[in-house]
Amino acid sequence: MSSESMTANVEAIFGENVFTMSKMRERLPKPVYAKLRSAMQGGPELSRADADVVAKAMKDWAIEKGATHYTHWFQPLTGITAEKHDSFVTPPDEEGHMLMEFSGKELIMGEPDASSFPSGGLRSTFEARGYTTWDVTSPAFLKATSAGYTLCIPTAFCSYTGEALDKKTPLLRSMEAVNNQALRLLRLFGDTESKKVLTCVGAEQEYFLVDKDTYLKRPDLIYSGRTLFGAPAPKGQEMEDHYFGVIRERIGAYMKDLNDELWRLGVPAKTQHNEAAPAQHELAPIYENANIACDHNQIIMEAMKRVAIHHGLRCLLHEKPFAGVNGSGKHNNWSLQTDTGINLLDPGESPERNIQFLLILSCILKAVDVHADLLRQSASDVGNDHRLGENEAPPAIISVFLGAQLADVVRQLVETGAADKHIKGGVLKTGVSTLPDLVKDATDRNRTSPFAFTGNKFEFRMVGSADSIGSCNTILNAIVAEAFSDAADELEKADNLPMAVHDLLKKNFIEHQRIIFNGNGYAKEWVKEAARRGLPNIPGTVEAASALTTDKAVALFERFGIFTRSELESREEITYETYSKTINIEALTMIDMAGKQILPACMHYAGELASSVSALNAVGLSSAAETERLKEIVSLIDEMQGALDTLKKLTLKAESLKTDTIERAKKQACLYKDQVKPAMKALRTPADALEMLVDKREWPFPTYGDLMFEI
């Protein structure tokens, strides 16, 4: 197939399963279409009559494509999506004819059970009512599964008493906040044309693929998404040959089908490649409005798992499915753009003279410095604790990488009060006559930075691969909105605006320059230097959770109507609950695998080895090697049995704690973190050592080599 025909095919299928604006324009009366466009841009809500018209057009389109059911597709605090399917079928008429109907009421509002999702105490078990409400800014789409086509309507999810129980509602609130405050700054700089400032996001998604048959023989992968036991394979990623390597045929076929599905769903999937670890890969889309990007990232993760099944594979989204090789993250690229097409994070050719950009930059530095704990919390989950701080992901200490060019401009402003020059990129000479010289960027990149400026955007590199990007972008928008608001409050009352802007950006740079770090985030020296600067070093999820409910955080979120105190407290409690439940599942899985499979297999092998030693001794042959091997195996079996007994006791102890308050939920999470997790490690150590000694034919599970290389 030629490149031209391949391009034409993509153009033909892109968005075919999405109720796009063009489809709305074709199917809706002009007045209704105009009102819907207005509602999407923040105008008046649709009337029930107009909603009925939209619902009918949407239903007719879906039925033409083969759909029989619809669902309100939402994102509860589980971090994944949820859906309840209802058919378009209505009661038959008098002659027995079945009708297919879909009303505006059904489009606008649904009623799932709110007590069955995480609520952090906002909903009691007997208080079940919750509501989903249509998000007009995110287009409806058709999901194709073995159940057929289902019309999916993106919705927000709230409780009967009005609290947000999802990831979408706070994100939308935060987008409005940063839009309103950014416009205040733009008006001060004379921009009267821009009507909206959009948060734009592109999330790079890393993932692993393993063969289905080997996956199904690993209870730990099935129950927890990661390997709880496993000795390293003879080869890992040390040769660095998998990164950007040739994509295997089987994986290429998977990627092709994945791209086709995503393109049909309107997801602008662009980049695909092998990642650093064996069996690890990455997909990245083009930047979009943050709300759409968040929805699309959920669609991407769902599609990755679904398409993998059709190829005899399983997709692993856990942050650390294999010990000893790189885990998976999700780099969240974030920027601000006006509806007139201006990127507010573009420094231009002369950043030292771009005062608007410098002010915005200074405000972002202030936001990250003041709320480093919140930003750290937004990337915290039990799986990501295995990555952050290791030499594969940013450290747990929040810092900002600006690069040589911007760091030098900031230095000039701090030291002299003015910046009159900038570092230029120059030319990279290849030294080969047939190769062109290259125009270099003004600065290198820094893969160890948690929050790195990369030319015209910030890349928040800490987010875990399985996590929703809704949380981190809600936090980013909120903290930047506060910094913008503080700046606008000060500048709007200034008599001399240029001088006030100059003084404010210099003040911001001076007071918050400690957050700037362009060096090696993996270095031990940075930990000491960060402590000297007074930057927080929050090691994990349990320690980070309380950042949500500090007085500083509550004041921030209530100021812009993003969260109430009760909504924040609920999210803190859910964090503890989720952490405890996850570690408990992992501990119980280890207990099951160790007690029912690993120890019996090792004991059986030890028995056979003992018989062999006895047989050799009986005929007078030396068996020193086998005797020593047997002693080592028996010693490890004893060590493993002792560790198993300890893990059982500690798991029961943690399970028995009451968790009816935030304080008790935190206490339980701490017990799992401080006692159960070390006990799990103590059990794994002898088990992995035994894997290296026991005959492979006796070992009950596929090994790391089987999982990562045999696909």
Side-chain angles (χ1 to χ4, degrees):
M1 181 182 289
S2 69
S3 59
E4 290 79 11
S5 60
M6 289 178 70
T7 301
N9 183 49
V10 174
E11 292 173 352
I13 68 173
F14 190 82
E16 72 174 23
N17 288 339
V18 184
F19 197 55
T20 59
M21 296 305 300
S22 62
K23 294 184 179 73
M24 295 179 196
R25 189 185 302 111
E26 292 172 2
R27 292 172 176 269
L28 293 174
K30 288 184 178 180
V32 175
Y33 175 76
K35 291 177 184 177
L36 179 59
R37 284 295 302 267
S38 175
M40 293 172 67
Q41 295 167 2
E45 296 179 5
L46 288 180
S47 68
R48 182 56 57 83
D50 289 334
D52 284 337
V53 175
V54 174
K56 183 180 185 306
M58 195 181 290
K59 179 260 297 180
D60 290 345
W61 167 75
I63 289 176
E64 288 171 15
K65 299 282 289 184
T68 57
H69 288 69
Y70 70 92
T71 182
H72 275 196
W73 185 80
F74 60 103
Q75 299 171 41
L77 296 177
T78 55
I80 58 176
T81 58
E83 51 195 61
K84 179 186 72 171
H85 296 189
D86 289 298
S87 74
F88 295 117
V89 173
T90 60
D93 61 19
E94 293 180 355
E95 297 182 356
H97 297 131
M98 185 183 71
L99 302 176
M100 305 284 274
E101 297 292 344
F102 183 50
S103 68
K105 179 180 179 181
E106 291 169 318
L107 169 62
I108 291 172
M109 189 176 76
E111 189 184 332
D113 184 343
S115 67
S116 297
F117 293 102
S119 70
L122 291 176
R123 295 267 80 192
S124 300
T125 302
F126 69 92
E127 295 174 320
R129 195 182 298 275
Y131 297 117
T132 50
T133 180
W134 178 33
D135 174 14
V136 296
T137 65
S138 185
F141 59 93
L142 289 172
K143 184 191 292 186
T145 67
S146 57
Y149 277 112
T150 302
L151 174 63
C152 297
I153 303 158
T155 58
F157 178 44
C158 64
S159 71
Y160 179 74
T161 47
E163 295 92 353
L165 294 177
D166 66 346
K167 302 280 187 176
K168 178 183 282 284
T169 303
L171 177 62
L172 291 172
R173 293 169 178 171
S174 74
M175 290 170 65
E176 289 191 8
V178 78
N179 165 64
N180 293 337
Q181 302 311 315
L183 285 176
R184 291 176 65 191
L185 291 182
L186 292 183
R187 297 293 182 259
L188 289 168
F189 282 91
D191 182 344
T192 58
E193 294 184 4
S194 299
K195 300 296 187 293
K196 200 163 193 176
V197 174
L198 303 171
T199 309
C200 295
V201 170
E204 306 166 31
Q205 180 69 53
E206 294 177 346
Y207 61 100
F208 280 82
L209 290 173
V210 297
D211 184 80
K212 177 198 73 173
D213 292 336
T214 52
Y215 169 90
L216 292 175
K217 295 174 183 176
R218 295 283 315 210
D220 46 2
L221 286 179
I222 293 171
Y223 294 128
S224 72
R226 74 180 183 101
T227 53
L228 301 171
F229 296 102
K235 180 179 183 293
Q237 64 189 59
E238 63 274 7
M239 298 302 294
E240 301 171 340
D241 54 339
H242 189 261
Y243 190 53
F244 280 22
V246 175
I247 297 171
R248 299 178 187 180
E249 287 293 299
R250 187 178 183 186
I251 304 305
Y254 164 82
M255 288 179 170
K256 179 186 181 301
D257 285 353
L258 177 62
N259 284 331
D260 283 350
E261 174 154 347
L262 293 177
W263 288 334
R264 292 176 196 278
L265 289 167
V267 179
K270 183 174 179 65
T271 302
Q272 61 189 32
H273 61 84
N274 290 347
E275 254 297 335
Q280 188 185 32
H281 313 279
E282 180 177 303
L283 180 149
I286 298 171
Y287 296 88
E288 303 176 277
N289 168 294
N291 182 40
I292 305 298
C294 186
D295 285 358
H296 279 174
N297 186 247
Q298 294 290 344
I299 290 173
I300 287 170
M301 291 191 288
E302 290 179 29
M304 282 178 167
K305 293 181 177 181
R306 187 166 58 250
V307 174
I309 293 172
H310 299 305
H311 287 263
L313 300 166
R314 288 295 186 271
C315 176
L316 307 179
L317 293 175
H318 193 284
E319 286 80 8
K320 195 71 172 180
F322 301 104
V325 298
N326 274 20
S328 296
K330 180 151 46 188
H331 298 169
N332 186 86
N333 296 279
W334 177 92
S335 64
L336 296 169
Q337 182 171 307
T338 69
D339 56 352
T340 56
I342 300 171
N343 184 345
L344 299 184
L345 296 183
D346 184 355
E349 295 183 0
S350 301
E352 76 278 9
R353 294 199 294 269
N354 191 340
I355 303 302
Q356 177 178 292
F357 165 77
L358 289 174
L359 178 63
I360 288 172
L361 177 65
S362 77
C363 289
I364 293 173
L365 290 178
K366 174 184 175 180
V368 174
D369 188 20
V370 171
H371 294 291
D373 57 341
L374 274 178
L375 203 54
R376 170 68 178 88
Q377 189 282 326
S378 75
S380 298
D381 67 48
V382 62
N384 218 18
D385 282 357
H386 295 284
R387 293 178 60 248
L388 297 181
E390 300 296 329
N391 288 352
E392 61 176 81
I397 304 166
I398 297 288
S399 64
V400 177
F401 169 80
L402 290 183
Q405 185 184 72
L406 288 183
D408 184 64
V409 171
V410 171
R411 179 193 59 77
Q412 294 177 59
L413 286 165
V414 169
E415 292 179 358
T416 68
D420 56 8
K421 61 182 179 179
H422 67 274
I423 297 172
K424 294 181 172 59
V427 176
L428 176 66
K429 295 185 180 296
T430 60
V432 180
S433 61
T434 56
L435 295 177
D437 294 334
L438 303 176
V439 178
K440 292 201 305 181
D441 290 312
T443 187
D444 205 344
R445 293 202 176 193
N446 189 327
R447 67 184 301 272
T448 70
S449 176
F451 197 67
F453 186 76
T454 55
N456 59 4
K457 58 183 174 59
F458 278 98
E459 184 179 26
F460 186 38
R461 299 172 58 88
M462 298 180 76
V463 185
S465 54
D467 207 0
S468 164
I469 61 172
S471 296
C472 69
N473 286 297
T474 297
I475 299 297
L476 269 173
N477 293 342
I479 65 177
V480 171
E482 181 185 60
F484 284 175
S485 179
D486 290 345
D489 288 346
E490 184 170 338
L491 296 177
E492 285 170 349
K493 60 187 179 185
D495 295 327
N496 185 331
L497 183 61
M499 183 59 68
V501 170
H502 172 273
D503 292 346
L504 178 58
L505 66 89
K506 180 181 178 182
K507 174 187 174 186
N508 282 345
F509 285 140
I510 290 174
E511 292 182 357
H512 304 289
Q513 61 182 316
R514 67 172 186 167
I515 202 70
I516 302 172
F517 179 64
N518 288 346
N520 181 8
Y522 294 161
K524 294 180 180 179
E525 293 78 10
W526 168 233
V527 177
K528 296 178 181 178
E529 171 61 17
R532 186 193 67 78
R533 295 186 186 191
L535 299 179
N537 185 353
I538 304 173
T541 297
V542 175
E543 297 88 349
S546 60
L548 289 168
T549 54
T550 63
D551 291 340
K552 172 172 62 95
V554 173
L556 161 70
F557 291 120
E558 289 189 338
R559 176 177 178 179
F560 298 106
I562 297 170
F563 287 117
T564 63
R565 180 180 288 275
S566 61
E567 287 173 333
L568 290 167
E569 289 174 346
S570 73
R571 281 154 176 79
E572 180 184 356
E573 186 170 341
I574 288 169
T575 300
Y576 298 136
E577 290 175 350
T578 302
Y579 186 93
S580 296
K581 290 175 181 177
T582 302
I583 301 300
N584 189 63
I585 290 170
E586 291 183 350
L588 293 177
T589 302
M590 290 189 79
I591 290 168
D592 193 70
M593 292 174 70
K596 294 180 180 178
Q597 292 172 283
I598 297 177
L599 280 173
C602 293
M603 290 173 180
H604 180 264
Y605 179 69
E608 289 188 337
L609 193 58
S611 297
S612 176
V613 170
S614 297
L616 288 171
N617 287 334
V619 295
L621 296 177
S622 173
S623 59
E626 284 191 303
T627 299
E628 288 303 312
R629 188 181 187 88
L630 179 60
K631 287 180 180 179
E632 186 176 1
I633 289 173
V634 171
S635 176
L636 288 169
I637 288 174
D638 289 343
E639 180 184 346
M640 189 175 171
Q641 183 63 60
L644 176 59
D645 293 340
T646 299
L647 180 59
K648 287 179 179 179
K649 292 175 183 177
L650 290 174
T651 303
L652 285 172
K653 177 182 174 183
E655 285 179 327
S656 66
L657 290 181
K658 292 183 178 180
T659 58
D660 52 346
T661 65
I662 291 181
E663 291 75 18
R664 288 176 175 172
K666 182 177 182 179
K667 182 178 180 182
Q668 184 186 54
C670 287
L671 182 55
Y672 276 107
K673 174 178 69 73
D674 298 331
Q675 297 187 31
V676 176
K677 280 188 71 177
M680 291 166 61
K681 183 178 180 180
L683 176 58
R684 177 171 184 160
T685 299
D688 290 356
L690 283 164
E691 184 182 333
M692 303 296 287
L693 296 171
V694 172
D695 189 329
K696 189 177 189 300
R697 291 169 296 183
E698 297 279 353
W699 197 253
F701 315 115
T703 65
Y704 270 25
D706 299 330
L707 288 162
M708 290 193 287
F709 290 96
E710 295 186 10
I711 55 172

